[in-house]
């Protein structure tokens, strides 16, 4: 049973979240399989918890999808993105409801084998629904514009316009009259007040008592009598206020070291002695007292976070609040009473309830505010909460579980899924593979100003040296004064920790620099060639810090990456940043894409998150950066020494993020 205009849809697929296709439709003339677009949707949206928006673009196709969380189904429709099909959203909703109602018994039998044994003949119903959707869209054709004779303006005459002007004038006259009346009333009221005051003063003068009452007069005479008896002292006037006291002068501060002689405070004579304050040792040997050589061999340790014991109490409070919310939503139209409230509460707790958007709305609002308070970008927090709502809508709650606990657990799982790397990131293995091919492994560091690119480059150098690799640092920051000297200091410090005598007389780290004002891309190219000739294992390219809006510097960075094609491009960002992380990463990626001459431009491959020890539990920047780029956080800087380098522990970060 064919329908005209059906070829406007390329495909429609219904499959389970386990990957079993229950039913599919492919348009006439479509030769390509829908497996590629659907797999891209699953990989890029559903698995990465980005299902807040129900549309997805893949090459020349636009995909619309809907999740059915009760039966764990996904409905996907695909069509050419140049088409504007207004009926698709309603059509996919109708198909979902019709498919659920028709095959409800089969869908309730969970399990992959049950799905495979059932035969879902849905073609005729699908074409009927499609015809109805297309017919409704045609019925709602755009209304033609009215002619001038049909408009209300054409009905107006010159006389009606004159009347409106007269009406305005009459209103103005009425307004003027009312204003004049008010002014006259104010004048008459002021004259009456002045007359009353004059008569009152005249009466006071006539009586001779200065306007005092009878009790005040008696009190005054009594005071005069007692003053005469006591020797003629002047009575105190109660009507006058007492004289203000003079403010006390500033008290002299007594210092802790006050009173001591100057000779006792002079410590200059002991600086050259062999006292405990003397620092006669080599500064290079004592600059890093906390570093233990050979302590960072192998993979890096994950970031640790200790959750407090108060989390359980806070969870209980949230659950109690949520019980009240669920009970209130389920008591609509019910009688007020003890048993009604109890049964309403139980109805909200037991597993017979399907989650709706209204149930989750108050909890999601609190979760959104909580994420923003933990430094997650506001846009990312909203998208995460929308994705969780889409994921849970229609899902049957477990027995005696609350909405708050369900939403919180789903959000926690989504955050862990986001932070988990989507691809293998094993730098040590990649360096060994590059060494076997007799070429250096090249890493480029980029980022905005002052985030710690050079410092964390030195930390990564130390970690690589600890694992037996030789490192060449390319000083490609030819813009900032002191950048080359900073790297030279790091090189000297690293060689003092791992002296050449322990490595066959060859230094483990060297600096390749050409001074300031030179082309950074050219210096990087020369450094890579030098490392290949001298047998270095790793080349670390330090670039100048640049704001994402600085077009000339962003062009230079894109040129450096396009010319030298490094194995890894790492964006260095600080954990203190909030909404700015989104703008930085989007514009860095956009600049790299715009200035690339290839069809598949080289973008950011990973993230180095710095200053992680300064934020306590406000770890939202990790979520924002990972969500925007879809790339993993490779390194985490947790201090100022070379050994303060960690890998990201997704569950530890999420536990810190969810802590109230």
């Amino acid at each position: 049973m064919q329908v005209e205009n059906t070829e406007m849809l390329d495909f429609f697929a219904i499959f389970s979240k386990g990957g079993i296709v229950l039913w599919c439709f492919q348009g006439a003339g479509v030769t390509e399989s829908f497996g590629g677009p659907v797999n891209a949707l699953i990989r890029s949206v559903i698995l990465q918890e980005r299902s807040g928006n129900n549309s997805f673009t893949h090459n020349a196709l636009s995909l619309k999808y809907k999740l059915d969380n009760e039966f764990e189904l996904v409905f996907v429709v695909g069509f050419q993105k140049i088409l504007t099909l207004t009926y698709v959203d309603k059509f996919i909703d109708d198909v979902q409801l019709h498919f659920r109602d028709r095959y409800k018994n089969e869908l309730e039998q969970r399990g992959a084998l049950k799905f495979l044994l059932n035969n879902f003949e849905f073609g005729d119903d699908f074409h009927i629904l499609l015809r109805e959707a297309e017919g409704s869209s045609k019925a709602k054709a755009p209304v033609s514009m009215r002619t001038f004779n049909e408009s209300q303006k054409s009905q107006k005459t010159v006389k009606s316009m004159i009347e409106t002007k007269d009406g305005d004038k009459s209103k103005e006259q009425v307004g003027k009259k009312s204003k004049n009346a008010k002014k006259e009333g104010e004048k008459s009221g002021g004259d009456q007040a002045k007359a009353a005051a004059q008569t009152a003063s005249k009466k006071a003068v006539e009586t001779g008592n200065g306007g005092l009452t009878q009790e005040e007069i008696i009190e005054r005479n009594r005071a005069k009598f007692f003053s005469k008896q006591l020797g003629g002292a002047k009575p105190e006037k109660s009507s006058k206020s007492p004289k203000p006291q003079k403010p006390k002068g500033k008290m002299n501060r007594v210092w802790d070291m006050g009173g001591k002689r100057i000779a006792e405070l002079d410590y200059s004579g002991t600086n050259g002695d062999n006292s405990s304050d003397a620092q006669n040792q080599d500064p290079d040997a004592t600059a890093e007292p906390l570093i233990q050589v050979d302590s960072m061999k192998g993979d890096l340790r994950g970031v640790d976070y200790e959750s407090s014991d108060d989390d359980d109490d806070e969870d209980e409070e949230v659950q109690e609040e949520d019980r009240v919310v669920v009970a209130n939503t389920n008591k609509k139209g019910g009688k007020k009473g003890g048993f009604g409230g109890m049964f309403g509460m139980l109805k909200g707790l037991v597993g017979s309830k399907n989650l709706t958007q209204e149930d989750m709305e108050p909890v999601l609002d609190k979760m959104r505010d909580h994420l923003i308070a933990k430094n997650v970008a506001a846009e990312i927090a909203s998208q995460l909460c929308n994705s969780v709502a889409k994921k849970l809508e229609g899902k049957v709650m477990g027995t005696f579980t609350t909405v708050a606990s369900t939403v919180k657990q789903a959000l926690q799982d989504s955050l862990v899924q986001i932070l988990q790397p989507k691809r293998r990131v094993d730098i040590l293995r990649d360096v060994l593979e590059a060494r076997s091919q007799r070429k250096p492994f090249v890493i480029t560091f980029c980022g905005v100003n002052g985030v710690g690119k050079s410092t964390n480059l030195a930390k990564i150098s130390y970690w690589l040296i600890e694992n037996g690799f030789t490192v060449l640092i390319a000083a490609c920051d030819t813009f900032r004064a002191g950048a080359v000297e900073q790297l030279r200091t790091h090189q000297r410090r690293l060689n003092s920790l791992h002296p050449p005598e322990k490595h066959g007389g060859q230094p483990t780290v060297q600096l390749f620099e050409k001074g300031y004002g030179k082309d950074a891309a050219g210096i990087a190219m020369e450094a890579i060639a030098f490392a290949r000739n001298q047998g270095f294992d790793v080349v670390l390219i330090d670039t100048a810090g640049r704001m994402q809006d600085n077009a000339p510097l962003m062009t230079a960075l894109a040129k450096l990456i396009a010319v030298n094609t490094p194995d890894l491009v790492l964006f260095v960002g600080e954990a203190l940043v909030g909404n700015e992380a989104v703008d930085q990463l989007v514009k860095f990626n956009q600049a790299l894409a715009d200035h690339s001459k290839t069809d598949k431009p080289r973008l950011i491959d990973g993230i180095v998150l710095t200053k992680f020890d300064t934020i306590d539990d406000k770890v939202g920047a990790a979520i924002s950066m990972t969500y925007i780029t879809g790339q993993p956080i490779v390194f985490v800087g947790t201090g100022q020494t070379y050994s303060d380098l960690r890998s990201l522990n997704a569950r530890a970060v999420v536990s810190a993020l969810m802590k109230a």
Side-chain angles (χ1 to χ4, degrees):
M1 183 178 181
Q2 285 292 338
V3 186
E4 57 181 8
N5 291 335
T6 306
E7 63 272 14
M8 296 180 70
L9 298 183
D10 282 33
F11 69 88
F12 195 106
I14 304 173
F15 58 93
S16 68
K17 290 185 178 180
I20 301 174
V21 178
L22 306 185
W23 181 85
C24 65
F25 159 81
Q26 199 153 2
V30 179
T31 57
E32 296 182 1
S33 172
F34 61 86
V38 170
N39 288 333
L41 171 70
I42 295 171
R43 184 171 54 252
S44 303
V45 177
I46 297 176
L47 292 181
Q48 293 192 21
E49 304 296 339
R50 299 171 187 266
S51 54
N53 188 8
N54 65 341
S55 61
F56 175 69
T57 302
H58 178 73
N59 295 335
L61 289 178
S62 286
L63 276 68
K64 294 274 188 177
Y65 63 93
K66 187 173 181 62
L67 304 179
D68 189 322
N69 297 301
E70 183 178 356
F71 295 115
E72 302 290 329
L73 300 178
V74 182
F75 297 79
V76 182
V77 59
F79 54 92
Q80 296 294 321
K81 64 181 180 182
I82 61 173
L83 300 177
T84 303
L85 303 182
T86 57
Y87 61 86
V88 171
D89 291 327
K90 183 179 183 303
F91 173 62
I92 199 171
D93 290 340
D94 294 341
V95 171
Q96 180 209 9
L97 294 175
H98 199 84
F99 190 84
R100 282 167 44 100
D101 294 341
R102 178 169 177 177
Y103 299 107
K104 185 175 182 180
N105 296 330
E106 290 83 352
L107 294 175
E108 286 177 348
Q109 299 175 2
R110 299 298 176 90
L113 185 60
K114 300 290 185 181
F115 284 148
L116 292 174
L117 293 176
N118 288 317
N119 188 14
F120 298 94
E121 295 291 342
F122 193 64
D124 295 339
D125 297 339
F126 173 80
H127 289 303
I128 293 172
L129 293 173
L130 181 58
R131 186 192 299 122
E132 292 176 354
E134 290 176 346
S136 63
S137 65
K138 290 179 181 178
K140 296 179 180 178
V143 182
S144 60
M145 186 180 295
R146 293 180 299 174
T147 62
F148 177 76
N149 295 329
E150 295 174 350
S151 64
Q152 294 181 357
K153 191 174 182 180
S154 64
Q155 306 298 326
K156 292 184 179 181
T157 60
V158 177
K159 185 178 179 181
S160 64
M161 296 180 184
I162 295 174
E163 287 179 354
T164 55
K165 290 183 179 179
D166 292 342
D168 294 339
K169 289 181 180 179
S170 62
K171 288 180 181 178
E172 291 177 0
Q173 292 176 358
V174 172
K176 289 180 180 179
K177 289 180 181 179
S178 61
K179 289 181 181 178
N180 294 333
K182 286 182 180 179
K183 289 181 180 179
E184 292 176 359
E186 290 176 355
K187 287 182 180 180
S188 61
D191 295 339
Q192 292 177 1
K194 288 180 181 178
Q198 289 176 359
T199 53
S201 61
K202 287 180 181 179
K203 289 181 180 180
V205 171
E206 290 175 358
T207 54
N209 294 326
L212 298 176
T213 60
Q214 189 69 23
E215 294 179 355
E216 291 175 346
I217 294 171
I218 295 172
E219 190 69 27
R220 186 184 62 181
N221 294 335
R222 187 178 297 172
K224 288 181 180 179
F225 174 75
F226 283 116
S227 64
K228 290 180 181 179
Q229 295 293 331
L230 295 174
K234 292 183 179 180
E236 296 181 357
K237 295 183 179 180
S238 59
S239 60
K240 290 186 178 181
S241 60
K243 294 181 180 180
Q245 297 180 354
K246 293 182 179 180
K248 295 182 180 180
K250 184 177 179 180
M251 302 294 293
N252 294 329
R253 174 176 285 185
V254 180
W255 298 93
D256 295 336
M257 302 294 289
K260 291 190 177 183
R261 292 177 298 177
I262 298 177
E264 296 179 2
L265 301 176
D266 186 8
Y267 295 98
S268 60
T270 61
N271 285 346
D273 300 339
N274 294 325
S275 61
S276 59
D277 295 333
Q279 300 290 336
N280 296 326
Q281 300 177 354
D282 184 9
D284 284 343
T286 59
E288 305 287 353
L290 300 178
I291 291 181
Q292 296 180 359
V293 181
D294 299 331
S295 63
M296 297 183 68
K297 288 185 177 180
D299 294 332
L300 292 171
R301 290 187 291 124
V303 177
D304 297 328
Y305 179 79
E306 296 179 359
S307 59
S308 63
D309 297 334
D310 300 333
D311 292 347
D312 298 335
D313 299 336
E314 292 166 356
D315 291 343
E316 291 176 0
E317 293 177 1
V318 173
Q319 290 179 0
E320 288 177 1
E321 293 176 0
D322 185 60
R323 289 191 183 98
V324 177
V325 172
V326 175
N328 291 335
T329 57
N330 287 307
K331 286 192 293 183
K332 292 180 180 179
K335 296 181 179 179
K336 295 182 180 179
F339 289 104
M342 179 62 68
F343 284 120
M345 184 181 295
L346 289 175
K347 185 179 179 182
L349 288 173
V350 297
S352 61
K353 178 176 175 56
N354 289 11
L355 277 176
T356 62
Q357 189 72 28
E358 290 75 16
D359 294 335
M360 295 183 287
E361 194 67 33
V363 182
L364 288 173
D365 288 341
K366 291 182 181 179
M367 290 293 180
R368 186 180 295 107
D369 296 339
H370 176 76
L371 291 175
I372 294 173
K374 290 297 182 76
N375 259 2
V376 179
E379 180 184 355
I380 306 300
S382 299
Q383 292 179 11
L384 281 171
C385 291
N386 292 337
S387 176
V388 170
K390 293 276 186 183
K391 185 178 178 181
L392 293 178
E393 188 174 6
K395 190 173 183 179
V396 179
M397 293 173 58
T399 306
F400 289 96
T401 57
T402 61
V403 176
S405 61
T406 305
V407 172
K408 184 176 180 180
Q409 186 61 43
L411 181 60
Q412 192 166 344
D413 295 341
S414 299
L415 294 174
V416 172
Q417 184 70 24
I418 289 170
L419 290 177
Q420 293 286 2
K422 310 301 181 296
R423 57 184 178 82
R424 181 186 62 85
V425 181
D426 191 346
I427 293 179
L428 296 180
R429 182 177 175 180
D430 293 339
V431 173
L432 288 173
E433 185 177 351
R435 178 197 275 179
S436 65
Q437 299 175 6
R438 296 186 178 181
K439 66 176 185 178
F441 187 80
V442 183
I443 304 176
T444 299
F445 296 83
C446 62
V448 299
N449 308 78
V451 295
K453 289 184 295 300
S454 301
T455 303
N456 284 274
L457 180 146
K459 293 180 184 179
I460 295 170
S461 300
Y462 179 72
W463 173 62
L464 292 169
I465 293 168
E466 290 270 290
N467 286 278
F469 299 115
T470 55
V471 179
L472 179 68
I473 300 176
C476 295
D477 185 357
T478 61
F479 188 78
R480 175 173 63 92
V484 177
E485 288 75 12
Q486 181 184 6
L487 292 176
R488 185 177 290 116
T489 302
H490 283 306
Q491 177 217 1
R492 187 169 59 250
R493 290 290 306 120
L494 291 170
N495 282 325
S496 67
L497 292 170
H498 282 273
E501 294 79 17
K502 295 183 179 180
H503 298 274
Q506 183 181 1
T508 55
V509 56
Q510 290 188 26
L511 177 66
F512 187 91
E513 54 95 4
K514 293 292 183 179
Y516 296 97
K518 306 292 176 50
D519 181 29
I523 296 175
M525 182 180 294
E526 293 180 20
I528 294 171
F530 179 80
R532 185 181 293 108
N533 295 332
Q534 298 297 322
F536 282 92
D537 298 321
V538 184
V539 178
L540 303 180
I541 301 176
D542 183 33
T543 62
R546 64 205 75 208
M547 295 304 294
Q548 62 269 24
D549 298 322
N550 193 329
L553 287 178
M554 294 302 297
T555 305
L557 176 65
K559 176 187 173 184
L560 184 148
I561 294 174
V563 169
N564 296 284
T565 60
D567 298 289
L568 200 62
V569 179
L570 295 181
F571 176 85
V572 185
E574 59 182 3
L576 301 170
V577 73
N579 291 327
E580 188 70 8
V582 178
D583 190 51
Q584 290 176 4
L585 283 162
V586 168
K587 289 188 176 179
F588 261 81
N589 267 334
Q590 188 64 42
L592 295 179
D594 291 343
H595 299 98
S596 178
K597 297 181 181 179
T598 60
D599 296 335
K600 294 183 178 180
R602 185 64 181 278
L603 304 179
I604 293 170
D605 300 319
I607 299 167
V608 180
L609 195 62
T610 66
K611 306 177 185 178
F612 201 76
D613 55 320
T614 63
I615 56 171
D616 193 23
D617 58 352
K618 291 181 171 57
V619 295
I623 298 293
S624 301
M625 293 182 180
T626 310
Y627 193 88
I628 284 295
T629 60
Q631 301 299 337
I633 295 176
V634 184
F635 298 106
V636 178
T638 58
Q640 299 183 13
T641 62
Y642 291 141
S643 59
D644 291 329
L645 191 68
R646 299 286 183 271
S647 63
L648 186 74
N649 185 349
R651 297 198 175 275
V653 171
V654 171
S655 66
L657 190 66
M658 298 302 292
K659 179 187 174 185

